[in-house]
Structure formats: C-alpha cells, structure tokens
Amino acid sequence: MSGFIFKRLLSKLLVFFIFFLGACSTNIPQPPALMPAADAALPVPTLADSAPTLENTALPAPTEPKKSQLGPCEGNDEYNQPNYVIVEAGTKAEHVWKSQFVPWWVRSSPDGRVLAVTNGGDSIYELKPDGTLETAFRCPGVMIETFTAASDGALWFATRDGGRLYRVDKEKKVKIIAQNGNRNLEAGLDGSVFAMENGIVQIFPDGMSKPIAQKVYGRKFAIGPLGEVVALVDGKIVQVMDEGIVKTIASGYGPEPWLAFDQDGFLFVTHWNGVDRIDLTNGTINTITWLQGINIAESGTFAPDGRLLMYHPNTNVYAIDFEQKNWKTYYQVTSNSWAMAANSDDGVYIAFGNNGSAGETAIFKVINQNTLELITKVPYGIERSMAFDSSGMGYLAVGDITKGGAIYRFDPESSQVELYHLPKCFPGSLTVHPLTDQLWWSDCNNTLESLDVNGVLQTIPGIPGAEGYSLAITPEGEFYTIVFFHRDDPNTPYKHGIYHFNEGISTWEVVADLTQMDPGITLSTITACPDGSIYTIESLDSTNLPVNHSSYNAVRRLEPDGRLTLLGFDFGFDGLAASCDRSTGQIFFTSAEGIFAVTPP
C-alpha cells in the first residue's frame, strides 16, 4: 500500500471502527458469488420475452421561452430561465456546473474563419488557430440553434423559438427575415441560404424565398460548391435535381451520419465509425479505410484550409488531414464527460481527456457553476468513468485508441496519483460496492471485474450480446445494469434494458425493456442511492419536441414492479455519467450543458 493511501486511511480509522462495530451486529448480505470469466455463456431471457415493455412516458410539452417583445438583439432575461421541466412533485434540480461552449454547429466563413455556436447560446464564436475561443457576434435575448456564413459575408442564424430566421450584414446590422420553420441552415450561392425542416427552401438576402423540395425533410443536408443539394432522409442520401426531382444516391446509413462537401465537390458522409467519400458524378462510394473505427466525432464540415473538421457536443473539434492521413485536436472542449462522481462531503469531480497523440486526462473539482479547479493529470486521453470509495479516494478509468485502458487511483487532497490496474480492454462504469468498498468495473463488454483485498481479480460474467454496461450496486449489494445489444440494421432501435444479477442462480434477469422508438438513442445510465432507490438518466424521445431536439436527458426512478417514474426532463442532451451522493442522496449527472443535480422527492 502506498504512503499517501495509508495516511488517508489512518485519518478515517475512527469512522471505519464505528462502521465495523455496526457491521458485526447485523446480518449483512454478501456480495454476489464470483465466477470465472470463462463461464460467460449464461442463460439470459430476451427482452421481448421476459421483460415488461415500457411505453415512452407521456411527457408534457417542454416550456418554451417567451418570445421577446424587444428589438432583434436586445437583452431579455426570460431566456435565462432554466429549460428543464420538473414533473414529479417535490423533485428539485439545480445546475451545478455550466459548460462554456460545446460544438453544436461548426461552419467555415468565406473570410477564412472557423465559426461555431453552442447549444442554446446567444453567440457565434470563432475557433482560433491557436486553440482559443473568441466571440464573433452576440445577440442577447435569443437562443441560437443553427447558423451559416453566406458567400457575401453575411451571417444567418435560426433561433430555438420556432426557427425564427435572422440575417446579420457586414456592418452587423440585424434583420429578422422569417418567423418560423427554418431551423437548419446551409450557405448557397450569391449570398443565399438554404433552410431545411419540413422541406427545403432557398432564401435570398432580400427575404424572398423559393421552394426546392417539399417532401425532403429532417435536419441533415449539405449544399455543394456548384449548388448541389443533398440530404439524409430515412437512412438514404438523396440529391434534389432540377424541378424538384429526388434521386437516391446511397442507402443503408441509418439516422446518425452527417453530410459535408469539400471544395472539389466531393460529398463526405461522416460518422463515429468512419468517413465515406461519394462522387456525385458517377455515384462511386469510397470508404476511407484509415478512418474506420476512429470514434472521435460524428458531425463533419470542411475548414478553409481543406481539412475535415469532425465534432460533436460530447467531444473535441478534430481536424483530419487527408494528405498526412492523421487527425489532431483543433479545439479542446470541456463540457460533457464520461467521468464524473460525487465525493461525499467533499463535492463533485469531473475529468476531461484530450484524446491526442500524447494523450492525457485532467481531473477537476467543481468549485461553482463557472469554475473548475485542476487536481491532477494522468496518462491516456479518453476519460471513461470515475468513482470514490468511503475513504474519499478517487478512481479514474481512462483509455487510448492504440494503448488500451487503465485505472488510476488519486487522492483529491494531495493530488497524488498511482496506477491501480491495467485491464484487458477499455474499463468503464466504475462503481464502489457499498458493503465491501471494492471497486467494480466493466471490461471488454463481457465481464464485470474487481480486485479483492489481496489484489486478486474477481469476475462476474456479463450478458451475452451486450455492447456496453452502466453499473449500479445497491446498499444491500445487489447488482443492476443497463445494457445495449448489437443491432444489424441501423434503422432499427437499439434493444436495451435494465438487468439484475440473481446471485442464487448466477444469472442476469431482465427487469425492464427500455428500448425506445428512436434508433439514435444510445445513452442510458443507472445509479443507486443510499435509500436503495435506483434511478436512470436517459435520452428519451417525444413528438412534443422540435426536430432539432429529438432526444434529451430525463431522470426516472425504477419502481419495484419495473415501472419507471419520471422525475424531470430536458436537462440538456447526451447524458454520459451519473453518481448518487452517499451523504445527501442527490443524483449528479453530466450532459452537454454541464453537470446537474436532482434531489428526489
């Protein structure tokens, strides 16, 4: 045992002694029977046959901010009210830490700048070549959703309040062009822009508009250097030809990829798993092999220097160089994180990795809504998960695309850090057992693992076919997990559900089928609180939401009969990490808007 751990344990000796006396006087359930990983082929009931299928909870429509009665860019405090909606009486919520910027929409400007907007912000930012962020334009009182920089130098942006469309000329004079229905924007020729929501329309600087394709709808489209119009609809890439004729270019992509043209007129299809290049002149599709499985981002756009920028609110902005066949971090984002945890009586901690060639991950303590304090840094550039034991020691799982993963142990007080364990693959879902204080994690998507007091590896076989785990252990030592299963058709929803480990028969049993109707939903996290309650933080889908807001974070409580009670929703989007504070019972979780805390009723 290292010296800094021993010193921390001595300081907690009295607490442990009291806990020990209490433990000896009660009949504490033992942790689940441990089994070798070789016994992974367990009989597991399928979701369809063995679990209640839960319909999406009937959600009230999100509270829309009131439309400003002031000028186009005059302040309006009504837009600064919380967006989240509390459903269950007695539930409380607060924004613990706010993200400054996430790359919600990135585009190039004709003057050579790289511009971007953040989710629900009131500014258009410039991502500087030196890695800094600068405000290019601000419009107080509005919530900018998408924007584009037209060929004549004007900025156009659409707002979240129904898609109101604005144009900002070179002198930064602001004019409202349209009141609604123009959420998604791309620059065209001659200073015009194209807007897409319920069909595609071309809009000119004087406000006149021209319908292009009424039956091509959605959110993902691109305009080529010669005015080519392509869109992603129902997993198909289509091109709008003359007189509105729609031609299918490719199919089988699912709902998640994005489209972008380079300066030579080639169409690029970007996704977490790779990049395709399509030649519209002959329909040839080429997969860029050295980018397969890159897993750095989803959305793509081209920088003025010809590099492909890939981004997503969960990740940094990366620049892909096709000549050098590599990618580098263009702008490092600190917003959403896979690694966040509450350290009882000490606050909340969060980690961000740079995912670079010299990979490292920085650990921060949350001071207030706007401030993070650096604690320490560890090797590996992908943050995976974080947890704290009862003595206040922190554990951080990290990974690297080429090196695999590692688990580090750190002391928040002294900032000292040491290597705890080298797993076989990428470790994730770190969770501390409340009865044994042992750290558990998932590895290689097929086992749950832990080190006992002697450093011997213990395993619980995973669920056959599972592609990811979110692990929770109740105060009684019961193991619960949310898992997603492999799908062959990208247009079908991922099957995923809540499972419970039955120690008596060493089998995972289905508690609830959480499969949603939106194929793009791939994020659900589970956590257990000191009172024994289990909560999920999920991306849910609702027809009440506008097209660019198809999924959002919701907090639900698992009931004994397998039902899920909705506590609140619209806490940003793409929740990645969840942690329940042992001392307060507050549920902390990350999203693209930062860290939220929900206090159950």
Side-chain angles (χ1 to χ4, degrees), residues 153-235:
L155 294 174
W156 296 64
F157 62 89
T159 61
R160 181 157 291 174
D161 58 345
R164 181 184 293 173
L165 184 62
Y166 294 72
R167 182 178 182 270
V168 186
D169 63 21
K170 292 181 179 181
E171 287 71 37
K172 295 190 176 181
K173 181 179 179 181
V174 183
K175 182 180 180 180
I176 297 176
I177 300 297
Q179 289 294 333
N180 55 62
N182 300 288
R183 289 189 178 277
N184 307 279
L185 304 175
E186 298 292 350
L189 305 178
D190 303 323
S192 69
V193 300
F194 288 76
M196 179 180 183
E197 185 169 351
N198 299 313
I200 300 178
V201 61
Q202 185 177 12
I203 306 173
F204 300 92
D206 60 3
M208 298 296 291
S209 62
K210 173 185 176 183
I212 301 298
Q214 295 182 348
K215 295 183 180 181
V216 178
Y217 54 89
R219 58 184 294 193
K220 300 178 179 180
F221 75 117
I223 307 298
L226 299 180
E228 305 95 326
V229 180
V230 297
L232 180 69
V233 180
D234 296 329

Side-chain angles (χ1 to χ4, degrees), residues 535-568:
Y535 297 89
T536 64
I537 291 84
E538 303 171 75
S539 291
L540 296 181
D541 182 67
S542 172
T543 55
N544 292 324
L545 295 174
V547 66
N548 265 6
H549 206 186
S550 62
S551 63
Y552 52 92
N553 284 343
V555 178
R556 301 201 283 180
R557 181 178 61 239
L558 178 65
E559 306 296 352
D561 61 0
R563 292 182 302 107
L564 289 171
T565 299
L566 182 69
L567 303 186

Side-chain angles (χ1 to χ4, degrees), residues 380 397-399 403-408 419-428 441-444 447 449 457:
Y380 299 80
V398 289
K403 299 176 183 177
I407 300 175
Y408 285 89
L419 179 64
Y420 177 75
H421 180 66
L422 284 175
K424 295 179 181 178
C425 306
F426 271 29
W441 63 88
S442 64
D443 192 24
C444 300
T447 59
E449 299 183 349
L457 187 66

Side-chain angles (χ1 to χ4, degrees), residues 21-41:
L21 290 179
C24 291
S25 62
T26 58
N27 182 18
I28 297 179
Q30 296 302 308
L34 303 177
M35 302 176 63
D39 294 338

Side-chain angles (χ1 to χ4, degrees), residues 338-340 383-387 395-398 427-431:
W338 292 99
M340 180 278 311
E383 83 280 356
R384 297 280 296 162
S385 185
M386 184 187 294
Y395 297 84
L396 178 67
V398 289
S429 195
L430 301 188
T431 308

